[in-house]
Amino acid sequence: GAISAKRAIGPNKESIVTVEFDMVTTLAPNETNAIVSLGSSDSNYTAYSQMPVVIRMYKDGTFGAHNGSTFVQSNLRFNKNEYYHIKVTIDLEAKKWSAIVSDEAGKETVIADNYGFRSTAQVPENIGKIYLETKARPRFLIDEFLNEEDEE
């Protein structure tokens, strides 16, 4: 079965929200199937289909992101025990989001550029929670949260 967790990170007060976190898996890429999602502060998602902003480390060894009605896998490969810094920018008015992943060397790769919210999800009114879902053994984590309000 799936392992899941959620944590409050807001809510934000702006139409453009930036959330940053680090992500790592301690499993081999072919054993990893992990999702990080962002949602509104009053959300209580119980299914993947409810999550509007979704980033994943997939068992093919690459990062992916959900755009509207489908996952789009990037060419960015991940490795076991290596940290990746994720920066997600959400435009709540335009109902679009983008994500940049930086590897340990600092090289940035765009994995989502003006993607639409998941088509089966309710459009969030704000960004206030981060979700972690994995179908693999619970061997990956997200760490070092930062959203724009933390900087003030």
Side-chain angles (χ1 to χ4, degrees):
I3 306 297
S4 64
K6 64 185 172 191
R7 178 179 172 177
I9 59 169
N12 66 292
K13 297 180 182 121
E14 304 296 325
S15 62
I16 297 185
V17 180
T18 300
V19 177
E20 297 183 46
F21 55 90
D22 292 335
M23 194 168 173
V24 62
T25 180
T26 60
L27 297 174
N30 67 344
E31 297 176 323
T32 301
N33 186 9
I35 290 175
V36 173
S37 178
L38 299 171
S40 64
S41 60
D42 63 351
S43 64
N44 191 24
Y45 306 137
T46 58
Y48 295 132
S49 61
Q50 298 172 322
M51 300 175 178
V53 175
V54 180
I55 296 168
R56 75 176 174 182
M57 293 175 115
Y58 194 56
K59 60 187 174 186
D60 68 356
T62 64
F63 280 91
H66 211 278
N67 184 13
S69 62
T70 189
F71 268 109
V72 178
Q73 288 307 112
S74 72
N75 292 324
L76 179 60
R77 301 198 66 78
F78 62 85
N79 296 306
K80 176 180 176 178
N81 295 324
E82 289 186 16
Y83 279 81
Y84 298 87
H85 185 76
I86 317 290
K87 180 178 181 180
V88 183
T89 304
I90 302 111
D91 185 332
L92 292 167
E93 287 182 17
K95 299 178 178 69
K96 299 283 184 183
W97 67 281
S98 300
I100 299 170
V101 178
S102 301
D103 63 18
E104 289 183 341
K107 181 179 181 226
E108 293 185 345
T109 302
V110 175
I111 64 162
D113 187 19
N114 284 317
Y115 278 17
F117 296 137
R118 189 179 194 129
S119 59
T120 56
Q122 183 176 13
V123 174
E125 294 177 11
N126 61 59
I127 299 299
K129 281 189 186 167
I130 189 164
Y131 288 80
L132 168 66
E133 301 280 338
T134 180
K135 289 192 175 186
R137 298 177 310 216
R139 299 273 186 215
F140 96 106
L141 61 94
I142 49 179
D143 197 9
E144 297 300 322
F145 294 104
L146 176 66
N147 73 35
E148 63 188 16
E149 292 185 6
D150 291 337
E151 297 177 25
E152 295 176 0

